[in-house]
Amino acid sequence: MASMHKGACFCGAVQIEVSGEPAGMGYCHCRSCRSWSAGPVNAFTLWKPDAVRVVSGAEHIAKFQKTAMSERQYCTKCGGHLMTNHPTFGLIDVYAATIPSLPFKPGVHVNYAETVLPMRDGLPKMKDFPSELGGSGEMVPE
């Protein structure tokens, strides 16, 4: 049986579920994620679209799309961030904090060339994105 984890926005009006295993987990250091999250780094979990389901409160989800790469979704009642659809990758980033029961096991740092919070954790540090997702695939030192 596939694992399932439930999550919600800050006020609980939007309830989501993710099922199975994420395609990846890690940290994004890009300026856009930092600005959107109001934090120095974004902890992400990536899922295939069919593994993410809005259980209730879909009418409270608003979207903001600054670029073709990211369609950010949030709750209109509390402003709580939920997830980002990455149509060019075929993946949805459900913010790690949105699904607290999922054990967060990061495997990589992306966009580390833009970091404002160096993290010495032994994980691979990518300059931007993996080449299979349209990035350079270059690694940078810790």
Side-chain angles (χ1 to χ4, degrees):
M1 182 169 175
S3 64
M4 183 175 298
H5 297 276
K6 297 177 184 216
C9 63
F10 188 59
C11 72
V14 179
Q15 302 282 320
I16 66 165
E17 288 180 351
V18 293
S19 59
E21 297 300 318
M25 291 190 246
Y27 301 103
C28 184
H29 295 262
C30 79
R31 183 177 181 187
S32 288
C33 281
R34 291 193 326 263
S35 180
W36 176 254
S37 70
V41 66
N42 178 53
F44 64 80
T45 67
L46 297 173
W47 303 83
K48 294 287 185 186
D50 62 353
V52 179
R53 186 169 79 92
V54 175
V55 177
S56 64
E59 68 274 15
H60 300 299
I61 296 176
K63 298 174 183 177
F64 176 77
Q65 190 167 6
K66 185 176 181 180
T67 70
M69 285 187 67
S70 300
E71 180 187 75
R72 300 174 191 275
Q73 299 177 38
Y74 61 96
C75 173
T76 59
K77 290 185 79 168
C78 67
H81 298 182
L82 295 160
M83 58 192 134
T84 298
N85 181 26
H86 294 291
T88 56
F89 300 160
L91 295 167
I92 296 175
D93 169 8
V94 179
Y95 307 124
T98 302
I99 41 178
S101 67
L102 177 73
F104 183 64
K105 297 175 186 167
V108 67
H109 292 262
V110 296
N111 296 303
Y112 200 71
E114 298 180 45
T115 194
V116 296
L117 180 65
M119 298 171 76
R120 310 254 186 271
D121 57 9
L123 292 175
K125 311 290 191 290
M126 301 203 75
K127 175 183 175 185
D128 43 42
F129 288 112
S131 56
E132 57 270 18
L133 295 179
S136 70
E138 291 179 43
M139 304 301 282
V140 295
E142 278 193 329

